[in-house]
Amino acid sequence: MERQMEPWWKKSVVYQIYPRSFMDSNGDGIGDIQGIISKLDYLEKLGIDVIWLSPVYDSPNDDNGYDIRNYRTIMDEFGTMEDMEQLIEEAKNRGIRIVMDLVVNHSSDEHEWFVESRSSKNSKYRDYYIWRDGKDGQPPNNWGSVFSGSAWEKDELTNSYYLHLFSKKQPDLNWEHEPLRGDVYQLMTYWLEKGIGGFRMDVINFISKALDLPDGTIHPNNLYGDGSPYFINGPKIHQYLREMNEKVLSKYDVVTVGEMPGATTDDAQIYTNPYNKEVNMVFTFEHMDLDSGPGGKWNVQPLKLVDLKRNFEKWQLALHKVGWNSLYWNNHDQPRVVSRFGNDGEYRELSAKMLAICLHMLQGTPYIYQGEELGMTNVVFPLLEDYRDIETLNMYKEKMEQGISHEDIMSGIYAKGRDNARTPMQWTSEGGFTTGTPWIRMNPNTDEINVEQSINDSTSIFYTYQKLIQLRKQHDIITHGSFQLLFADHPSLFVYKRQSADEEWLVVTNFSDQREQLEWKDCDVTSKSREIIISNYDTLNTNENTVEIRPYEAFVVAFKKGIEN
Ligand code: NOJ
């Protein structure tokens, strides 16, 4: 009975579209909404249930749409409101819901609220943003922006500073101010009334700032202070999310996922416990930070698989029967996972399938980022001029000023830059994304890695994803089973068990090109009657007692409980 009441998103798989890079229908080199509509059949074939659409609102594109000028209109380059309504409708006809990106920690500096706000200290909109006086000609505090430089910008007109945690064209909204919150709830309602399936909430755990805005610690090799303790999971965050739920979300059957850098499992237990009525799930960043050194994101260090396993274990156990996990390897801010944690050379296909199986067998809602289902890889553009991302370009400038060499900076960009994820979707061997010149160069490997080729090859990565999506629909154990990590200290095998009342599933994945061997008896499974659910090699290399695990191999075997044959 309880199961029937279960929210639909627990068995859903989400596909993220970065509209600028997905499909261009009019030859201007920029992806658009009609382009997305033209590919809905492809997404239906993959089997996904939800599209998370990165922002399509009107924007001057300082941060590719994460700087919104008008929350109620569509960016000209992407199309019109009629196109958007058509997308919602046509997706619905295929059983696909559209989740919009809600970016309300900040707006564009070209949003009319900000234009009004900066015009005078007496403006009705002044308090929609966070203004402070400078201190002795310096910004109000020492916080650095995520996109380099100070988090404060001086506005000459009123001789005060406004806070921008991201670029200076992304001023932070002031959630303390009730009229601002009311306006946000209205714009959310506007979209929900159009029939969308929910929101992905951009850095939503940054919206409540400690009012006194104290200086942050200056970490080694940093020019600015770290303000994050004063705005991550800030003092009123739970109050605001509950208010948002009460005033808006509770009236619709939708899904919400909060992007929450710095959220721990303790935080996530509060955010995602259904009784708290905050969000359904969070995007955590802990597993995405494991290959960063003490110097932060650009200080790349090799991943230790043991850390990754322990991290997944922590999240799986913490939210089981308490809240809900989101599961992801990729999005528009992260490098391509096959290049990052897999092998994008000889074992590209095997390792991409292995990573898919490893993630999709966990408890939670999986997110696939466009091109992940093809095993798209990172890109190495020799020239800085080929890069577009504001984070990358600002970081390059700041590090050059600090005397770091071009080569060192570029190697960080190759490993971690966000443009790795933003090169256009590879539809055909010639590209197939646009008939014009793409806004950012294609990855030159489109002749080998593309949709056309994947669809025609029944053993491709695409079909592994398709099968994983189907399995989630067919087997409750994936949605509800418990999680147990095995061989926690093994340096290259990630092995875990899922368990329900009548079944046990063993998930075995090899994160290396080395051969390994396991004894079935050490896998702690209670029955020998095993059924292969999915694998990335044709057959298992096994006998009664042992199984050999080949390079980047992954398989899932089901054991029915109580059968000892
Ligand atoms: C997180 C988004 O995912 C990222 O792309 C964006 O730059 C920042 N938030 C600012 O909106």
Side-chain angles (χ1 to χ4, degrees):
M1 187 63 184
E2 206 189 318
R3 285 282 154 86
Q4 281 167 5
M5 302 296 289
E6 177 175 277
W8 52 267
W9 41 263
K10 288 202 170 175
K11 280 199 174 286
S12 295
V13 175
V14 184
Y15 187 91
Q16 185 194 351
I17 290 183
Y18 194 66
R20 214 173 182 72
S21 303
F22 190 63
M23 180 65 203
D24 173 23
S25 72
N26 62 0
D28 65 358
I30 296 170
D32 48 43
I33 295 173
Q34 284 300 333
I36 300 172
I37 293 172
S38 73
K39 297 298 183 187
L40 285 174
D41 288 342
Y42 166 72
L43 297 178
E44 188 181 16
K45 183 175 169 79
L46 182 58
I48 54 103
D49 309 274
V50 178
I51 292 172
W52 152 27
L53 202 57
S54 278
V56 291
Y57 315 93
D58 175 41
S59 161
N61 276 315
D62 194 51
D63 185 20
N64 285 354
Y66 283 91
D67 49 321
I68 298 172
R69 181 162 50 200
N70 187 333
Y71 291 93
R72 288 183 167 78
T73 56
I74 300 293
M75 192 188 302
D76 284 344
E77 291 166 334
F78 290 168
T80 62
M81 190 57 84
E82 286 70 47
D83 294 331
M84 189 61 213
E85 285 164 358
Q86 186 189 346
L87 173 61
I88 296 169
E89 188 60 27
E90 295 212 12
K92 192 165 148 215
N93 295 340
R94 292 167 177 82
I96 298 174
R97 293 169 160 95
I98 304 284
V99 161
M100 300 280 283
D101 220 307
L102 181 74
V103 189
V104 289
N105 173 67
H106 45 268
S107 72
S108 163
D109 66 338
E110 298 182 29
H111 192 289
E112 63 177 11
W113 296 336
F114 191 74
V115 173
E116 284 289 326
S117 179
R118 81 174 354 155
S119 68
S120 143
K121 284 192 172 169
N122 301 320
S123 158
K124 176 174 163 229
Y125 288 94
R126 185 66 171 179
D127 290 337
Y128 271 48
Y129 295 86
I130 302 171
W131 293 96
R132 293 286 188 278
D133 291 336
K135 282 199 272 188
D136 310 323
Q138 295 299 313
N141 70 21
N142 69 359
W143 293 4
S145 138
V146 176
F147 291 162
S148 307
S150 166
W152 295 93
E153 182 71 8
K154 186 167 177 192
D155 204 53
E156 295 299 340
L157 198 61
T158 53
N159 197 26
S160 1
Y161 290 80
Y162 64 86
L163 179 70
H164 59 91
L165 294 179
F166 294 89
S167 94
K168 61 182 178 208
K169 285 185 68 61
Q170 293 169 298
D172 279 53
L173 289 160
N174 178 14
W175 277 71
E176 292 288 328
H177 190 53
E178 203 187 328
L180 173 270
R181 301 204 301 278
D183 277 355
V184 169
Y185 303 150
Q186 275 186 27
L187 74 88
M188 292 173 73
T189 305
Y190 172 84
W191 281 102
L192 289 163
E193 286 298 312
K194 287 195 185 288
I196 64 164
F199 291 108
R200 173 269 185 185
M201 302 177 180
D202 192 69
V203 287
I204 199 69
N205 64 333
F206 288 13
I207 60 177
S208 166
K209 278 91 178 168
L211 283 183
D212 49 344
L213 304 173
D215 277 341
T217 308
I218 303 181
H219 300 302
N221 301 324
N222 276 276
L223 300 174
Y224 294 91
D226 173 11
S228 64
Y230 309 109
F231 61 77
I232 287 188
N233 310 315
K236 296 195 185 145
I237 182 65
H238 298 292
Q239 179 190 321
Y240 294 154
L241 290 175
R242 286 172 201 187
E243 181 182 82
M244 179 191 279
N245 182 277
E246 186 205 319
K247 300 228 154 120
V248 186
L249 296 165
S250 57
K251 302 178 183 141
Y252 301 88
D253 178 20
V254 291
V255 66
T256 52
V257 49
E259 187 206 24
M260 298 204 182
T264 63
T265 45
D266 286 349
D267 299 317
Q269 286 179 335
I270 302 173
Y271 286 126
T272 70
N273 185 324
Y275 292 103
N276 293 336
K277 299 191 168 48
E278 297 191 6
V279 291
N280 300 135
M281 56 190 121
V282 305
F283 282 130
T284 155
F285 281 70
E286 287 183 356
H287 67 306
M288 291 282 109
D289 293 336
L290 295 173
D291 56 354
S292 300
K297 161 171 178 167
W298 305 104
N299 175 210
V300 187
Q301 66 178 18
L303 173 78
K304 291 197 199 79
L305 183 69
V306 172
D307 296 344
L308 184 74
K309 293 193 285 188
R310 285 292 189 197
N311 193 264
F312 275 121
E313 178 189 41
K314 183 173 70 166
W315 283 85
Q316 288 286 299
L317 299 182
L319 297 187
H320 184 62
K321 297 195 169 155
V322 175
W324 195 247
N325 267 297
S326 60
L327 307 169
Y328 75 94
W329 286 131
N330 271 117
N331 61 42
H332 64 292
D333 294 331
Q334 300 294 338
R336 293 278 178 184
V337 71
V338 70
S339 302
R340 187 180 193 180
F341 299 154
N343 174 314
D344 61 9
E346 182 184 354
Y347 296 109
R348 186 184 66 84
E349 296 226 1
L350 279 170
S351 68
K353 291 175 189 170
M354 179 279 288
L355 288 160
I357 293 170
C358 180
L359 192 78
H360 282 242
M361 285 296 122
L362 294 168
Q363 186 177 36
T365 300
Y367 289 72
I368 303 170
Y369 178 70
Q370 64 187 43
E372 181 180 333
E373 76 280 15
L374 311 175
M376 275 177 64
T377 64
N378 280 353
V379 75
V380 176
F381 293 141
L383 301 177
L384 184 71
E385 292 76 74
D386 288 323
Y387 286 87
R388 298 282 174 270
D389 174 25
I390 183 169
E391 182 193 39
T392 294
L393 300 177
N394 286 359
M395 179 280 287
Y396 181 91
K397 202 162 151 255
E398 189 169 280
K399 292 222 184 285
M400 281 303 259
E401 281 162 13
Q402 290 173 262
I404 302 181
S405 75
H406 170 81
E407 287 68 32
D408 281 356
I409 308 176
M410 291 312 282
S411 75
I413 295 175
Y414 297 151
K416 289 287 189 72
R418 304 196 298 180
D419 282 337
N420 282 307
R422 299 175 182 187
T423 59
M425 181 75 177
Q426 295 166 202
W427 295 103
T428 64
S429 50
E430 290 81 37
F433 163 71
T434 180
T435 53
T437 309
W439 69 277
I440 183 170
R441 282 177 55 192
M442 301 278 309
N443 191 317
N445 62 18
T446 190
D447 53 338
E448 305 151 50
I449 304 172
N450 59 69
V451 169
E452 197 174 55
Q453 178 276 115
S454 293
I455 296 287
N456 292 330
D457 171 5
S458 63
T459 68
S460 71
I461 303 163
F462 176 92
Y463 291 105
T464 297
Y465 274 93
Q466 186 191 58
K467 180 154 187 193
L468 287 166
I469 297 169
Q470 288 163 0
L471 287 172
R472 180 167 294 270
K473 307 259 174 301
Q474 293 156 356
H475 298 274
D476 268 358
I477 187 171
I478 304 177
T479 317
H480 296 289
S482 63
F483 171 93
Q484 186 192 346
L485 180 65
L486 303 181
F487 311 107
D489 296 324
H490 196 291
S492 56
L493 294 183
F494 189 168
V495 182
Y496 61 88
K497 222 167 72 169
R498 301 294 310 275
Q499 195 163 174
S500 67
D502 48 9
E503 266 189 296
E504 290 177 307
W505 283 20
L506 183 72
V507 181
V508 177
T509 60
N510 184 354
F511 276 66
S512 88
D513 57 5
Q514 301 300 305
R515 286 169 191 265
E516 302 289 343
Q517 188 156 303
L518 287 181
E519 301 280 319
W520 288 116
K521 69 173 171 29
D522 296 336
C523 295
D524 191 28
V525 277
T526 53
S527 151
K528 286 186 206 142
S529 81
R530 42 175 190 261
E531 177 200 349
I532 300 174
I533 301 287
I534 189 168
S535 66
N536 64 351
Y537 280 72
D538 285 346
T539 52
L540 300 198
N541 191 12
T542 183
N543 60 32
E544 209 176 299
N545 301 317
T546 61
V547 55
E548 188 201 34
I549 327 286
R550 291 156 289 188
Y552 294 101
E553 181 159 4
F555 60 80
V556 181
V557 270
F559 298 81
K560 289 264 177 265
K561 281 190 181 168
I563 302 176
E564 294 294 337
N565 52 8

